[in-house]
């Protein structure tokens, strides 16, 4: 791949990431959420209660970030934390009724954001995008070391 093509690809990915995150943040403001908190709530809705360390791994976040998010979401009444029965140092995190209601609102916003993002693309391209994007993410993840 020549530099111009590489630059165009890298710039497009960077701009999409920045703009998507900014649009998501704007959509989350009326719900009283910050970026990342919606992912935590959606993960709990998908999996049910889980230990905070597992939640950190599932979200791909550092444990201190998840701790901060869970404290804020707990203070807002959307989740509850309790000591794990097998390890008192670990916390089990679960959605409250308020959190479950909020998840329904997040899902509506996520559908709207996805539709905005892919507007104008053919249905087949839209259907292929999740797989393509997962492959791109896996390619970046697997490379970890310095660029050669």
């Amino acid at each position: 791949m020549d530099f111009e093509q590489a630059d165009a690809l890298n710039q497009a990915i960077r701009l999409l990431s920045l703009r998507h995150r900014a649009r998501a943040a704007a959509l989350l403001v009326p719900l009283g959420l910050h970026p990342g908190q919606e992912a935590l709530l959606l993960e709990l809705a998908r999996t049910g209660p889980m230990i905070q360390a597992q939640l950190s791994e599932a979200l791909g976040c550092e444990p201190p970030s998840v701790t901060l998010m869970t404290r804020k979401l707990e203070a807002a009444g959307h989740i509850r934390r309790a000591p794990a029965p097998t390890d008192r140092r670990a916390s089990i995190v679960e959605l409250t009724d308020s959190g479950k209601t909020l998840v329904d609102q997040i899902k509506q916003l996520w559908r709207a954001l996805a539709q905005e993002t892919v507007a104008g693309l053919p249905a087949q391209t839209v259907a292929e995008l999740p797989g393509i994007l997962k492959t791109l993410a896996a390619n970046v993840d697997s490379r970890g070391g310095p660029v050669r």
Side-chain angles (χ1 to χ4, degrees), residues 37-57:
Q37 292 176 328
E38 84 291 349
L40 187 150
L41 294 168
L42 289 169
E43 185 65 25
L44 289 174
R46 264 191 294 278
T47 62
M50 58 193 318
I51 293 174
Q52 202 164 300
Q54 294 169 321
L55 190 54
S56 176
E57 187 170 323

Side-chain angles (χ1 to χ4, degrees), residues 122-136:
Q124 182 166 343
T125 302
V126 172
E128 293 169 353
L129 267 177
I132 292 168
L133 295 171
K134 284 179 184 176
T135 298
L136 294 176

Side-chain angles (χ1 to χ4, degrees), residues 45-145:
R46 264 191 294 278
T47 62
M50 58 193 318
I51 293 174
Q52 202 164 300
Q54 294 169 321
L55 190 54
S56 176
E57 187 170 323
L59 296 173
C61 293
E62 293 297 320
S65 297
V66 172
T67 297
L68 182 60
M69 281 193 283
T70 57
R71 283 183 185 154
K72 289 181 179 183
L73 290 168
E74 185 177 38
H78 303 310
I79 63 167
R80 79 179 125 257
R81 295 182 301 165
T86 58
D87 181 354
R88 301 302 250 177
R89 295 169 297 162
S91 293
I92 294 179
V93 182
E94 67 179 320
L95 291 172
T96 61
D97 289 341
S98 170
K100 291 173 186 172
T101 299
L102 192 54
V103 164
D104 291 336
Q105 294 172 311
I106 293 167
K107 286 179 178 180
Q108 290 175 355
L109 291 179
W110 247 216
R111 283 192 295 273
L113 179 58
Q115 289 170 348
E116 284 178 20
T117 303
V118 300
L121 292 177
Q124 182 166 343
T125 302
V126 172
E128 293 169 353
L129 267 177
I132 292 168
L133 295 171
K134 284 179 184 176
T135 298
L136 294 176
N139 288 345
V140 172
D141 286 345
S142 70
R143 301 304 191 265

